[in-house]
Amino acid sequence: MSKTEKLMLYFIPIGIALQYIFFSITLHDNPLVKYWKELIVVVYLLLLIPKIFELKKSNTAILDVKLGIWSLFYFLFLISLVISTVLFTQSISTAFFVIRRYVLPVLIFIIARNLSIDTKDVFKFFSYIFKFFSLICIWGIFQAYVLGDQFLINLGYPIKYAGRLKDSFYFGGFGSLQRVVSTFSNTNVFGATLGLILVVVLINREYINVKYYNVLFGIYCLTLLLTFSRSNWLSLSFVIILVMTKKRGILSKASILVVGVVLSLIVVSALFNINMFDILIKYIESTITLEDNSAAGRKGIWLEAFSYFLDNPFGIGLGRVGTVSDVVSTGYDRIMGESSYLAVLLDTGIQGFIGYYGMIGSILLSFYNRMKKSKSLLFKNINFTGVCLTIYILVMFIFSNHIYDMEITVFYFLFIGLLSNKKIYKKDNHEFIQEVI
C-alpha cells in the first residue's frame, strides 16, 4: 500500500467521526471541505491512471470489480436511480443529494477492494480504528454527563425550542437526561458506528493488536448502552448469538464483560447521581409495552409508507423520505418511512429494491461461501466477519432510514471492501495465529 493510499485510508475514520461536529456544525457545511470523501475517491481514481497502460499490456483487469453477481445487481440499482431521477424527482439538486448517499459508499467499497494490502495491513487498520474510536466514546460520555446538552446547544446542534435539543437527543420520559451522541449527528448513527466496530473487534480478538483490549471493549459496550439505541442493541445481540455458535470461549468472556459493564454503570450512577439501572428498566419496559412514542408509532409509519409504495410500485422519486425531505425541501409531505427497506422501495421502486438488496445479499452469500470453502482458519475468520457485519446492517436497516447516513454506510462498505480484497489472499504470509473460529 502506497503512502498516499494509506493516508487516505486512515483519514476516513477521523473524517467520519468529525463529519458532523466539525464539517457541518463548526464549518457550516463549507463546500470547500464538505466533500472530503468525494475528494478521496477522485484522488484514488487519479492514482490508477498511471497503472492503466501497464495493466493493459499484461491483460490484467484495471479494477477488481468484474461483472459478478453483486455488480450486476448494483448496475440494476443505478439504472433505477436514473429512471427515478428522470421520471419522478423534482430537481437535479435533490437527485444529486440522494444519489451521492447511495453511490459514494459503494465507490469506497470498490476502492477498498483494490488497495495493495495484506492481512497484516487490514488488522493494523482495524486496531487503529478500535483505539481511535475509544477516545470518541470517552468524549461522548464526558460530554453527555459532565458538559451536558447546553454544550451542544452552544455549539450549534439543532434545537426544538429554546434551551432544548431535538427530542431524539434525550431519553423519552426522563426529562433532560441526554443520550450519548459524542461528535455525531444523532445517537442512533453513533450507536450503529460503534456496533459495526464492535462486530469486527469481537470476532477478531486474536488479531487486534491493542493494549488493554478488554478495557476498551468494555468502554465501547458501555457507550453503546448509553446511546440507548434499541435497533443497534438488537442488531448486536443477533451477531453475538451467531458468534457464540462459532467462537470457542466467547461465552465466558461475555460474562466477564457483562460484569464490567454493570460495574461501570454503578460508577456512572454514583459519579453523576443518576439511577442508570432504573432508567434502563423503564426504557426497556416502555419499549415492550409500546408506551414509548417511538416504538408505538412505528407500525403505523411502516403501514403508511408501504401504502405509498403499493400506489407507486416503481417509486415516487428521490428526496421524499425521512429527514432527507427536510434538507432538500421537495415541496411534498414528508414520508417518515423509518425503515431503510421502505426508503429504497419509495425512492427507486421494486426494481431498485431488487438491485440494492440483491447486491447486499450477494455480498453476504460470497462471504458465506468463502468461509465454507476456505481451508485457512484465518480466512474463515475474515469471511465470518463479513457475514456478521452484513447481518448487523440488514437487521439495523429494519428500524430506521440509516441507508441515508453515510457515517454508517461508508464504514460498512469500507470494512467489507477490505475483508473481500483478493490481494490479502494472495499476499498473506500466514504469520497470524491460526485459531478455530
Side-chain angles (χ1 to χ4, degrees):
M1 183 163 53
S2 70
K3 290 182 179 179
T4 304
E5 287 179 329
K6 188 173 183 178
L7 180 63
M8 291 190 301
L9 177 62
Y10 276 68
F11 180 76
I12 286 175
I14 298 174
I16 290 177
L18 301 179
Q19 174 73 49
Y20 191 75
I21 197 170
F22 182 69
F23 295 111
S24 296
I25 297 296
T26 306
L27 298 180
H28 307 290
D29 279 331
N30 188 312
L32 293 176
V33 291
K34 178 181 179 180
Y35 299 108
W36 63 270
K37 292 187 289 294
E38 288 82 353
L39 179 62
I40 286 178
V41 170
V42 170
V43 169
Y44 180 80
L45 294 177
L46 289 174
L47 290 174
L48 283 178
I49 293 176
K51 300 179 183 179
I52 290 177
F53 296 103
E54 296 176 17
L55 294 170
K56 278 187 175 181
K57 289 179 182 178
S58 59
N59 294 320
T60 305
I62 296 171
L63 285 176
D64 182 22
V65 178
K66 300 183 181 179
L67 291 179
I69 296 177
W70 81 264
S71 52
L72 291 176
F73 274 117
Y74 196 64
F75 184 66
L76 171 61
F77 178 68
L78 292 177
I79 293 175
S80 303
L81 284 175
V82 173
I83 293 172
S84 185
T85 298
V86 173
L87 298 182
F88 307 120
T89 305
Q90 188 179 35
S91 69
I92 295 298
S93 61
T94 296
F96 171 77
F97 183 85
V98 179
I99 290 173
R100 169 174 163 263
R101 293 168 181 262
Y102 278 128
V103 172
L104 187 67
V106 180
L107 290 177
I108 291 178
F109 166 66
I110 294 171
I111 288 173
R113 283 170 63 94
N114 286 277
L115 293 174
S116 299
I117 56 176
D118 57 29
T119 47
K120 288 197 292 186
D121 292 326
V122 171
F123 288 113
K124 188 181 293 184
F125 174 71
F126 285 141
S127 298
Y128 158 76
I129 289 277
F130 189 39
K131 289 184 286 188
F132 175 74
F133 266 84
S134 66
L135 300 177
I136 300 297
C137 291
I138 293 170
W139 162 253
I141 295 173
F142 177 77
Q143 180 277 308
Y145 299 112
V146 177
L147 300 179
D149 58 348
Q150 191 60 45
F151 175 83
L152 298 182
I153 293 171
N154 294 340
L155 202 60
Y157 271 64
I159 59 175
K160 183 176 181 180
Y161 46 80
R164 187 175 175 87
L165 297 166
K166 287 185 176 180
D167 290 340
S168 60
F169 286 87
Y170 302 100
F171 299 126
F174 295 98
S176 60
L177 187 61
Q178 186 200 315
R179 299 162 67 184
V180 173
V181 69
S182 192
T183 57
F184 283 70
S185 58
N186 67 66
T187 54
N188 291 323
V189 171
F190 181 43
T193 305
L194 294 184
L196 290 171
I197 299 172
L198 277 169
V199 170
V200 173
V201 298
L202 173 65
I203 297 172
N204 299 284
R205 168 66 183 95
E206 49 279 52
Y207 312 123
I208 301 297
N209 184 22
V210 174
K211 287 184 179 180
Y212 309 113
Y213 170 95
N214 292 331
V215 173
L216 297 187
F217 194 86
I219 290 173
Y220 269 76
C221 292
L222 176 62
T223 307
L224 181 60
L225 191 65
L226 296 177
T227 64
F228 278 68
S229 178
R230 290 164 292 196
S231 60
N232 288 293
W233 291 354
L234 182 62
S235 301
L236 189 61
S237 297
F238 268 95
V239 171
I240 289 174
I241 292 171
L242 185 58
V243 171
M244 284 181 177
T245 65
K246 294 287 185 181
K247 299 272 288 184
R248 296 182 303 187
I250 285 290
L251 189 59
S252 60
K253 294 176 183 176
S255 61
I256 295 173
L257 178 63
V258 169
V259 172
V261 171
V262 170
L263 291 175
S264 298
L265 283 175
I266 293 173
V267 172
V268 170
S269 299
L271 285 177
F272 305 113
N273 196 27
I274 301 169
N275 192 336
M276 277 297 174
F277 294 99
D278 185 50
I279 292 173
L280 272 171
I281 292 170
K282 289 182 179 179
Y283 196 67
I284 295 171
E285 183 181 302
S286 65
T287 300
I288 296 172
T289 60
L290 297 182
E291 292 177 5
D292 178 80
N293 291 334
S294 176
R298 194 144 302 186
K299 180 182 177 181
I301 292 170
W302 287 343
L303 290 174
E304 179 189 24
F306 192 68
S307 68
Y308 272 95
F309 162 70
L310 292 177
D311 293 335
N312 305 273
F314 299 108
I316 62 174
L318 305 176
R320 294 183 58 186
V321 180
T323 56
V324 169
S325 63
D326 298 335
V327 177
V328 298
S329 301
T330 60
Y332 295 101
D333 291 336
R334 179 212 275 188
I335 303 170
M336 295 180 68
E338 291 298 335
S339 169
S340 294
Y341 297 98
L342 291 168
V344 176
L345 278 173
L346 294 172
D347 279 346
T348 60
I350 187 64
Q351 69 280 3
F353 181 90
I354 293 172
Y356 193 89
Y357 289 104
M359 174 191 66
I360 298 292
S362 65
I363 289 172
L364 174 62
L365 188 61
S366 295
F367 276 122
Y368 179 78
N369 287 336
R370 285 197 298 267
M371 180 182 73
K372 288 296 184 182
K373 293 177 182 178
S374 178
K375 296 180 180 179
S376 164
L377 295 176
L378 169 64
F379 295 135
K380 281 181 177 290
N381 208 84
I382 286 173
N383 287 289
F384 180 58
T385 306
V387 168
C388 290
L389 284 170
T390 305
I391 290 174
Y392 186 100
I393 280 286
L394 290 175
V395 174
M396 189 246 308
F397 272 0
I398 296 172
F399 302 101
S400 189
N401 303 318
H402 281 322
I403 199 165
Y404 298 129
D405 296 315
M406 284 202 290
E407 298 98 326
I408 299 171
T409 54
V410 164
F411 259 128
Y412 168 69
F413 281 108
L414 173 64
F415 287 177
I416 64 168
L418 292 173
L419 294 170
S420 61
N421 186 309
K422 292 184 179 179
K423 295 181 182 67
I424 68 176
Y425 298 90
K426 296 175 182 177
K427 290 188 175 185
D428 183 67
N429 54 19
H430 302 284
E431 289 181 359
F432 285 111
I433 299 170
Q434 298 293 290
E435 185 172 311
V436 176
I437 300 180

